[in-house]
mmCIF file of all heavy atoms in Angstrom:
data_model
loop_
_atom_site.group_PDB
_atom_site.id
_atom_site.type_symbol
_atom_site.label_atom_id
_atom_site.label_comp_id
_atom_site.label_asym_id
_atom_site.label_seq_id
_atom_site.Cartn_x
_atom_site.Cartn_y
_atom_site.Cartn_z
ATOM 1 N N ILE A 256 38.244 47.347 52.184
ATOM 2 C CA ILE A 256 38.305 48.325 51.095
ATOM 3 C C ILE A 256 36.907 48.668 50.565
ATOM 4 O O ILE A 256 36.761 49.335 49.536
ATOM 5 C CB ILE A 256 39.189 47.825 49.943
ATOM 6 C CG1 ILE A 256 38.669 46.504 49.374
ATOM 7 C CG2 ILE A 256 40.639 47.699 50.396
ATOM 8 C CD1 ILE A 256 39.375 46.058 48.098
ATOM 9 N N GLU A 307 56.704 45.136 49.574
ATOM 10 C CA GLU A 307 57.225 44.726 50.880
ATOM 11 C C GLU A 307 57.641 43.257 50.831
ATOM 12 O O GLU A 307 56.951 42.415 50.257
ATOM 13 C CB GLU A 307 56.129 44.923 51.935
ATOM 14 C CG GLU A 307 56.461 44.359 53.306
ATOM 15 C CD GLU A 307 55.249 44.300 54.220
ATOM 16 O OE1 GLU A 307 54.181 44.821 53.841
ATOM 17 O OE2 GLU A 307 55.365 43.717 55.312
ATOM 18 N N CYS A 322 51.265 37.304 48.179
ATOM 19 C CA CYS A 322 49.904 37.806 47.940
ATOM 20 C C CYS A 322 49.855 39.063 47.078
ATOM 21 O O CYS A 322 49.088 39.137 46.115
ATOM 22 C CB CYS A 322 49.168 38.011 49.258
ATOM 23 S SG CYS A 322 49.829 39.293 50.324
ATOM 24 N N ALA A 323 50.667 40.077 47.388
ATOM 25 C CA ALA A 323 50.609 41.327 46.628
ATOM 26 C C ALA A 323 51.085 41.122 45.196
ATOM 27 O O ALA A 323 50.474 41.617 44.236
ATOM 28 C CB ALA A 323 51.436 42.406 47.321
ATOM 29 N N LEU A 335 47.111 48.464 43.392
ATOM 30 C CA LEU A 335 46.687 47.704 44.562
ATOM 31 C C LEU A 335 45.641 48.485 45.345
ATOM 32 O O LEU A 335 45.864 49.632 45.724
ATOM 33 C CB LEU A 335 47.881 47.395 45.469
ATOM 34 C CG LEU A 335 48.762 46.202 45.111
ATOM 35 C CD1 LEU A 335 49.911 46.101 46.111
ATOM 36 C CD2 LEU A 335 47.969 44.901 45.072
ATOM 37 N N LEU A 336 44.502 47.854 45.583
ATOM 38 C CA LEU A 336 43.484 48.460 46.428
ATOM 39 C C LEU A 336 43.749 48.147 47.888
ATOM 40 O O LEU A 336 43.415 48.925 48.775
ATOM 41 C CB LEU A 336 42.100 47.939 46.037
ATOM 42 C CG LEU A 336 41.649 48.230 44.598
ATOM 43 C CD1 LEU A 336 40.309 47.553 44.323
ATOM 44 C CD2 LEU A 336 41.557 49.722 44.351
ATOM 45 N N LEU A 337 44.356 46.985 48.129
ATOM 46 C CA LEU A 337 44.713 46.559 49.477
ATOM 47 C C LEU A 337 46.121 45.961 49.430
ATOM 48 O O LEU A 337 46.340 44.937 48.787
ATOM 49 C CB LEU A 337 43.723 45.517 50.000
ATOM 50 C CG LEU A 337 43.989 45.017 51.426
ATOM 51 C CD1 LEU A 337 43.605 46.092 52.449
ATOM 52 C CD2 LEU A 337 43.215 43.718 51.696
ATOM 53 N N PRO A 338 47.079 46.599 50.082
ATOM 54 C CA PRO A 338 48.423 46.009 50.121
ATOM 55 C C PRO A 338 48.420 44.746 50.968
ATOM 56 O O PRO A 338 47.389 44.356 51.535
ATOM 57 C CB PRO A 338 49.263 47.118 50.765
ATOM 58 C CG PRO A 338 48.284 47.877 51.600
ATOM 59 C CD PRO A 338 46.983 47.845 50.857
ATOM 60 N N LYS A 339 49.544 44.116 51.069
ATOM 61 C CA LYS A 339 49.670 42.891 51.844
ATOM 62 C C LYS A 339 49.088 43.079 53.249
ATOM 63 O O LYS A 339 49.512 43.947 54.000
ATOM 64 C CB LYS A 339 51.140 42.496 51.948
ATOM 65 C CG LYS A 339 51.399 41.252 52.783
ATOM 66 C CD LYS A 339 52.893 40.954 52.829
ATOM 67 C CE LYS A 339 53.195 39.739 53.695
ATOM 68 N NZ LYS A 339 54.644 39.449 53.736
ATOM 69 N N THR A 340 48.092 42.256 53.563
ATOM 70 C CA THR A 340 47.420 42.338 54.857
ATOM 71 C C THR A 340 47.538 40.986 55.552
ATOM 72 O O THR A 340 47.176 39.960 54.990
ATOM 73 C CB THR A 340 45.936 42.727 54.672
ATOM 74 O OG1 THR A 340 45.866 43.984 53.981
ATOM 75 C CG2 THR A 340 45.239 42.850 56.005
ATOM 76 N N LYS A 341 48.050 41.017 56.766
ATOM 77 C CA LYS A 341 48.356 39.779 57.480
ATOM 78 C C LYS A 341 47.221 39.352 58.407
ATOM 79 O O LYS A 341 46.672 40.163 59.151
ATOM 80 C CB LYS A 341 49.636 39.954 58.303
ATOM 81 C CG LYS A 341 50.867 40.296 57.477
ATOM 82 C CD LYS A 341 52.072 40.524 58.385
ATOM 83 C CE LYS A 341 53.305 40.937 57.594
ATOM 84 N NZ LYS A 341 54.470 41.202 58.476
ATOM 85 N N VAL A 347 46.618 38.435 52.483
ATOM 86 C CA VAL A 347 45.723 38.762 51.366
ATOM 87 C C VAL A 347 46.077 40.135 50.820
ATOM 88 O O VAL A 347 46.391 41.060 51.574
ATOM 89 C CB VAL A 347 44.240 38.765 51.814
ATOM 90 C CG1 VAL A 347 43.328 39.111 50.636
ATOM 91 C CG2 VAL A 347 43.847 37.425 52.412
ATOM 92 N N SER A 348 46.020 40.258 49.508
ATOM 93 C CA SER A 348 46.160 41.546 48.844
ATOM 94 C C SER A 348 45.140 41.591 47.713
ATOM 95 O O SER A 348 44.774 40.543 47.162
ATOM 96 C CB SER A 348 47.581 41.718 48.288
ATOM 97 O OG SER A 348 47.757 43.019 47.762
ATOM 98 N N ILE A 349 44.659 42.790 47.398
ATOM 99 C CA ILE A 349 43.629 42.927 46.366
ATOM 100 C C ILE A 349 44.046 43.991 45.363
ATOM 101 O O ILE A 349 44.466 45.092 45.729
ATOM 102 C CB ILE A 349 42.268 43.298 46.975
ATOM 103 C CG1 ILE A 349 41.838 42.242 47.998
ATOM 104 C CG2 ILE A 349 41.209 43.440 45.884
ATOM 105 C CD1 ILE A 349 40.544 42.572 48.726
#
Side-chain angles (χ1 to χ4, degrees):
I256 59 171
E307 172 193 353
C322 66
L335 278 178
L336 299 175
L337 181 74
K339 178 180 178 180
T340 302
K341 300 177 183 178
V347 180
S348 186
I349 302 176

